[in-house]
Amino acid sequence: MRLRVALTGLVLVAGACTDSPATTTAVSSATIGARMTTSVTTAPPSVPEGSSSTTATLSLPPLAEVRIDVELIAGGFTQPTFATSRPGDDRLFVADQPGVVYAFDLTDGSRLVVLDIEDRVRFSGEQGLLGIAFHPDDPDRLIVHYSGNDGSTRVEQYRLDPQTGVADADGSVILIHAQPAANHNGGMIEFGPDGYLYVGLGDGGGANDQFDNGQDPFTLLGTILRIDLDGGDPYAIPPTNPFADGADGAPEVWAWGLRNPWRFSFDGSDLWVGDVGQAAWEEIDLLVASRPGDNAGWPLLEGAHCFRFSNCEPDLYLGPVIEYAHSVGRCSVTGGFVYRGASIPELLGTYLYGDYCTGEIWGLRLGEFADHALLTDPDDIFLSPLRGLTSFGRGPDGEVYVLQAVGLVWRLVST
């Protein structure tokens, strides 16, 4: 099944989290926005200049002229929250919020339950199995991020049997952190180009940063953590973390001042973070793996705007590269991926992201914000193809997948 989607110009940023999943299944034509660029390199920006993989340049049409399809890949999940690939494996791995990880065969449609921890997972609202990642150098190591039965954040490691492909029933604990409320749990985990594990945690929930975690570098809440799974038991602190000695902040903290970094992704050394807004603005932040210690400003800022005080001095904080307002039903950003696949060459180098409530999907070409200027276009009106857009994912084929709260997984394909 294919549904045609038009990618056309938009410059927005999003925040990605709601208290209850959308239940609408309607799918219609959509518009993806971005400004015009004419060329893009064929390799991620972290590849050194002058290497053979950075010399090729493609002439690309304006995104307003790009047309793509959405192809239904799989259904029958309860509420899929993330999809990823495993090194050396041609299947798509899907995390289902109640606590199950599936390996989905993209060729014949069969699926295997790789891990079932439903008895340990609190599945309610924003709580549940929220993120998965495979160790890049040891693909039998599966890392999961979930809400425990007591509501705490748990990051654990499970080892897959190389013969059956099924994970051991008992994992090992990497990190446990209490959560004072049921929302803003974060949930994303991903290995960076430096081999470290990055972990996203929200500000503790509630509203208005009521627990005052956003600007407290000594808490793990409202942050992106960076830890070394190979250097210690259960982990070591990378020496270049901004507070590695613990004197001025928690040693695990890599970036802070975030409300709920629901989804982030690396493109080379660039880390694109979709941080969920509160009542007015959604945002995308752009961080760099080699630049630790960025403070995104929450709750002094929401997007690029003063939130807690009217005189917040935005220039003191990282600030978003894209933002969009809560309008025409938009409510929560779902951060995505820079497209590096082969089937839609018109999208090469385009960052794709969307909104949970409307299901709109937008694109932005990398060269658009080389000067780190804020891009915003809250007045454009777009249709809603995939309401309840919980996550994007990147498959073993390098293509981008889109997950819907009603239990569906789609793939972006060319017309």
Side-chain angles (χ1 to χ4, degrees):
M1 177 180 183
R2 289 190 174 190
L3 302 170
R4 183 161 296 171
V5 179
L7 284 96
T8 59
L10 171 72
V11 182
L12 295 182
V13 144
C17 191
T18 56
D19 289 333
S20 59
T23 56
T24 305
T25 58
V27 180
S28 61
S29 297
T31 315
I32 298 184
R35 298 177 180 176
M36 180 183 300
T37 59
T38 58
S39 65
V40 64
T41 56
T42 60
S46 63
V47 179
E49 282 190 22
S51 68
S52 59
S53 59
T54 62
T55 55
T57 300
L58 298 178
S59 295
L60 301 177
L63 287 181
E65 299 176 4
V66 176
R67 297 294 182 270
I68 63 171
D69 284 343
V70 179
E71 182 179 35
L72 183 62
I73 296 300
F77 301 101
T78 301
Q79 192 161 291
T81 51
F82 192 61
T84 190
S85 59
R86 175 182 178 230
D89 199 314
D90 59 4
R91 296 171 297 176
L92 183 71
F93 288 78
V94 179
D96 208 5
Q97 195 167 343
V100 182
V101 178
Y102 296 93
F104 181 80
D105 192 307
L106 294 169
T107 302
D108 61 19
S110 62
R111 66 187 75 187
L112 171 71
V113 174
V114 172
L115 177 69
D116 185 344
I117 53 172
E118 288 188 81
D119 59 335
R120 289 161 240 185
V121 173
R122 177 183 287 184
F123 170 40
S124 175
E126 295 179 21
Q127 297 174 311
L129 176 58
L130 306 178
I132 58 175
F134 288 94
H135 193 290
D137 298 323
D138 186 355
D140 288 336
R141 293 166 63 182
L142 170 63
I143 318 300
V144 300
H145 185 161
Y146 71 92
S147 307
N149 287 323
D150 61 355
S152 64
T153 284
R154 300 181 66 94
V155 180
E156 296 178 351
Q157 178 175 266
Y158 291 82
R159 180 160 288 279
L160 273 60
D161 185 307
Q163 302 300 318
T164 66
V166 175
D168 294 339
D170 297 319
S172 58
V173 173
I174 296 172
L175 177 73
I176 300 176
H177 198 288
Q179 290 284 357
N183 59 341
H184 304 182
N185 295 280
M188 185 66 191
I189 49 176
E190 183 170 353
F191 284 91
D194 48 18
Y196 298 137
L197 182 69
Y198 290 70
V199 182
L201 292 175
D203 66 0
N208 304 308
D209 191 23
Q210 65 188 62
F211 304 107
D212 291 324
N213 290 320
Q215 290 301 305
D216 180 2
F218 286 94
T219 178
L220 303 189
L221 298 176
T223 71
I224 294 176
L225 312 178
R226 181 170 69 167
I227 56 178
D228 180 3
L229 295 191
D230 300 319
D233 184 15
Y235 60 82
I237 302 299
T240 53
N241 275 12
F243 312 119
D245 61 4
D248 298 314
E252 294 89 347
V253 171
W254 179 73
W256 52 306
L258 296 157
R259 185 172 182 269
N260 190 25
W262 165 241
R263 287 290 172 254
F264 56 73
S265 66
F266 277 99
D267 183 57
S269 63
D270 293 337
L271 183 61
W272 295 79
V273 182
D275 192 20
V276 179
Q278 169 122 349
W281 296 96
E282 302 296 320
E283 71 181 85
I284 300 289
D285 301 316
L286 183 60
L287 292 77
V288 181
S290 60
R291 188 189 64 214
D294 281 328
N295 181 349
W298 172 256
L300 303 178
L301 293 175
E302 182 188 15
H305 310 268
C306 292
F307 179 80
R308 179 164 284 184
F309 308 109
S310 60
N311 57 343
C312 66
E313 299 185 74
D315 291 344
L316 297 178
Y317 306 96
L318 174 68
V321 292
I322 316 170
E323 69 172 21
Y324 66 84
H326 286 195
S327 59
V328 294
R330 297 171 187 153
C331 74
S332 178
V333 69
T334 301
F337 291 85
V338 173
Y339 183 80
R340 296 292 177 186
S343 69
I344 318 175
E346 307 95 315
L347 288 186
L348 191 63
T350 301
Y351 177 67
L352 301 172
Y353 61 104
D355 185 81
Y356 172 85
C357 287
T358 64
E360 298 166 277
I361 300 173
W362 304 294
L364 178 68
R365 292 231 172 99
L366 294 177
E368 292 288 330
F369 51 91
D371 57 356
H372 213 302
L374 174 66
L375 302 179
T376 179
D377 193 357
D379 297 325
D380 286 345
I381 304 299
F382 296 89
L383 302 178
S384 306
L386 297 172
R387 295 184 187 273
L389 196 168
T390 57
S391 187
F392 293 85
R394 182 181 283 137
D397 50 5
E399 301 303 322
V400 172
Y401 292 76
V402 184
L403 283 64
Q404 200 176 7
V406 291
L408 305 178
V409 177
W410 308 79
R411 178 170 52 200
L412 298 184
V413 295
S414 174
T415 57

